[in-house]
Amino acid sequence: MWRRDRSADGAVATKAGGSVPAAPAPPPEPPREAPRTVPREAGAEERRGPGRAVRALVALVALVGMVAFAIVLAKLTLNASPASVPLTHSNLTPGSSIRAYLEQPAFLETVKQLGGNVLLGVPFGVLLPLFSRKTRGLVRVALLTIVTMLLVELVQGALITGRAFDIDDVLLNTTGALLGYLLVGRRLGRAVHPRVRRRWWQRRPARQKGSEQVLATDR
């Protein structure tokens, strides 16, 4: 019978003196690549705004501006006018005073009354988004303006001679605040107080897409 002897180098020696080379060892497995990180969608990354010192300075400037605006607002709305007592009356019907202003023949007086009330609310829409991240947003600006102007109108009607409560003034002031926010305040607020977290309806599609990309890389 033939006898096989295995040498130290792995060759198999036969009885006849010949040697048969051993089978080559299998090549080592290549190292697996680490899973790739899923890139975030464009615009989904967290934005870093200015530093705390800059935000604090802007908030201080906004606070000073709001105080100055409150003083001007008080001078314009809380001054007594005894001569206007026979002409003043409260208005609880939205649109009634606006319709009366539009129907009067004096065009300049109409522009003064309507445009002045609109401009009076513009600083709210510009300064509130700068003051804090919590005062950003269209709904928040509108609610804060409505509450403030309702208080002003109530004080006018209850305490100031020759002044009366007018719901249309509140509507016009709120319109001005929303215009100021949409035109200027929203951009300034985003620059000073950027959004840190995405909204809930923006998170779910991004997670699903990210998991699909991870599965695709594993395959």
Side-chain angles (χ1 to χ4, degrees):
M1 295 180 63
W2 292 87
R3 185 180 62 187
R4 296 184 178 182
D5 296 329
R6 184 177 297 273
S7 61
D9 58 354
V12 180
T14 60
K15 187 175 181 181
S19 61
V20 179
E29 296 182 359
R32 293 186 178 181
E33 296 182 358
R36 300 179 180 177
T37 57
V38 180
R40 295 182 179 181
E41 296 180 354
E45 63 274 4
E46 298 178 358
R47 299 179 180 179
R48 293 186 179 181
R52 293 183 179 179
V54 177
R55 291 199 300 268
L57 180 61
V58 173
L60 179 61
V61 173
L63 179 61
V64 173
M66 292 177 66
V67 172
F69 172 69
I71 295 174
V72 175
L73 180 65
K75 290 183 177 181
L76 293 176
T77 59
L78 301 181
N79 285 333
S81 179
S84 302
V85 173
L87 303 176
T88 57
H89 61 277
S90 299
N91 174 34
L92 301 178
T93 305
S96 177
S97 296
I98 297 176
R99 191 181 306 108
Y101 288 138
L102 294 175
E103 291 176 354
Q104 68 178 356
F107 177 75
L108 293 180
E109 186 67 19
T110 301
V111 174
K112 179 181 176 181
Q113 294 294 334
L114 298 182
N117 281 305
V118 171
L119 291 177
L120 200 62
V122 171
F124 279 95
V126 177
L127 296 176
L128 285 176
L130 296 178
F131 184 69
S132 173
R133 184 182 291 111
K134 296 181 180 180
T135 54
R136 282 180 49 190
L138 195 67
V139 176
R140 295 177 183 178
V141 171
L143 290 178
L144 290 173
T145 305
I146 290 173
V147 171
T148 303
M149 292 307 177
L150 279 176
L151 292 176
V152 172
E153 290 295 325
L154 289 174
V155 172
Q156 277 186 342
L159 302 178
I160 308 302
T161 303
R163 301 283 184 174
F165 179 88
D166 195 339
I167 191 63
D168 284 344
D169 290 347
V170 178
L171 297 178
L172 293 172
N173 297 149
T174 306
T175 302
L178 296 180
L179 289 175
Y181 175 76
L182 293 175
L183 296 177
V184 181
R186 180 174 58 177
R187 296 181 181 179
L188 294 179
R190 287 179 179 179
V192 178
H193 304 289
R195 189 178 300 280
V196 178
R197 297 179 181 178
R198 291 174 294 172
R199 300 182 184 274
W200 61 269
W201 62 79
Q202 296 174 344
R203 296 178 186 175
R204 188 174 180 181
R207 290 179 180 176
Q208 292 179 352
K209 185 175 181 180
S211 60
E212 292 176 358
Q213 292 181 357
V214 170
L215 293 175
T217 54
D218 291 342
R219 292 177 182 176

